[in-house]
Amino acid sequence: MMLKLGVNIDHVATLRQARYPGLMESHNCEPDILSAAQSCEAAGAHGITVHLRADRRHIQDADVFRLRRGIRTRLNFEMGNTPEILGIALELAPDEVCLVPETREEITTEGGLNVVAQEVSLSGTVARLKGAGIRVSMFIEPDFGQVEASARIGADMVELHTGAFANAQGDAQHRELSRLEEASKRAHSLGLQVNAGHGINYTNVALVRGVPHLEDLNIGHSIVSRSVFVGLEKAVSEMLELMRIPV
Ligand code: PXP
């Protein structure tokens, strides 16, 4: 099975917001989010991922609805488990939702969702999303307890948090890789689709792609960063090429 790429384009919106905060309707508001998504698709990306944060620091409400109408591939909507964002998700009807932890102070999503501690509230959200025909993923640490809780509450998928792996070096990185491998095998044995994301770049993807049972990688910051030098289409196609090389 071929590993698929979802490109997280949040930071294209970060660049726009740096110059045009609150000016979404302005005609010269750039870079344009939908054009960015279409460049990713033209390069062969299998999906577009965005995170509508409660503080709206990058992606805005209007962006997600424009993407929903304008992209040809899958829309993966990352969200914190709040009534406000759940309402938007149900109206948006993305192909997939990935539930993520969210605090206002963090720079980016830190750590995975604690599904074990929030089984009751999360299972209600999962049921509502699935009832609307949306496939649901849990963004979790590569931990057996979290994998098992995700299966219990009816999630379709888990996205294993690769942040600790990406930050580690040498032996520590190989230990983190083993945790990802074991968690992936456990999730697969429970019937869950296994995805991975966070901190994956053009170097460490060579190790990540060897984790068994992986179906989708969600990659954002490194692709958008590389696009400054080579353009978004080339940045995406280079990543796809690295994902294809057999281990
Ligand atoms: N997957 C999830 C669930 C995330 O929250 C993020 C960061 O927003 C990513 C993937 C992408 O991470 P990065 O930008 O480090 O590639």
Side-chain angles (χ1 to χ4, degrees):
M1 191 172 37
M2 199 180 112
L3 196 52
K4 299 194 187 71
L5 173 63
V7 182
N8 181 317
I9 55 172
D10 290 349
H11 294 309
V12 175
T14 302
L15 186 56
R16 181 194 61 201
Q17 297 308 107
R19 185 65 185 263
Y20 300 105
L23 281 179
M24 272 296 290
E25 306 309 325
S26 171
H27 67 283
N28 58 356
C29 228
E30 60 183 5
D32 181 67
I33 285 290
L34 180 56
S35 306
Q38 288 166 336
S39 292
C40 297
E41 291 186 323
H46 305 90
I48 301 298
T49 297
V50 285
H51 183 180
L52 184 67
R53 296 183 65 102
D55 63 10
R56 308 298 200 273
R57 72 172 65 155
H58 38 52
I59 291 290
Q60 306 294 308
D61 300 49
D63 291 327
V64 295
F65 288 95
R66 257 185 95 220
L67 289 168
R68 172 73 295 187
R69 289 190 298 273
I71 68 169
R72 291 183 294 107
T73 58
R74 279 178 290 150
L75 181 62
N76 172 24
F77 184 66
E78 292 179 4
M79 56 172 266
N81 184 25
T82 67
E84 186 215 359
I85 305 287
L86 176 60
I88 294 170
L90 292 170
E91 190 187 338
L92 178 68
D95 302 281
E96 298 170 3
V97 157
C98 182
L99 286 162
V100 302
E102 195 180 305
T103 59
R104 280 184 185 271
E105 305 75 33
E106 68 194 3
I107 291 178
T108 180
T109 313
E110 288 167 4
L113 195 60
N114 192 343
V115 185
V116 176
Q118 299 165 53
E119 224 170 301
V120 175
S121 64
L122 285 170
S123 62
T125 298
V126 171
R128 290 191 64 191
L129 291 165
K130 285 179 71 173
I134 301 166
R135 300 188 72 228
V136 184
S137 182
M138 297 286 146
F139 185 49
I140 55 169
E141 295 294 326
D143 174 275
F144 278 20
Q146 301 295 348
V147 169
E148 286 156 13
S150 300
R152 275 199 303 278
I153 65 168
D156 302 290
M157 308 174 269
V158 287
E159 179 168 331
L160 299 178
H161 195 310
T162 45
F165 157 80
N167 289 335
Q169 287 181 308
D171 286 350
Q173 188 166 48
H174 280 93
R175 278 196 298 279
E176 291 299 334
L177 193 61
S178 304
R179 286 182 69 212
L180 291 165
E181 289 167 356
E182 293 311 311
S184 183
K185 286 183 204 158
R186 185 83 189 110
H188 181 74
S189 76
L190 294 170
L192 293 160
Q193 177 179 322
V194 191
N195 307 326
H198 203 98
I200 300 175
N201 60 33
Y202 292 83
T203 307
N204 65 26
V205 69
L207 291 172
V208 175
R209 68 176 185 233
V211 173
H213 310 302
L214 279 185
E215 294 200 24
D216 296 350
L217 297 184
N218 285 306
I219 309 180
H221 191 263
S222 69
I223 290 178
V224 174
S225 298
R226 179 122 183 94
S227 77
V228 171
F229 299 101
V230 302
L232 195 48
E233 265 196 59
K234 188 149 194 294
V236 170
S237 62
E238 284 179 3
M239 184 60 82
L240 282 166
E241 190 55 37
L242 292 171
M243 286 165 58
R244 260 194 294 272
I245 298 167
V247 182

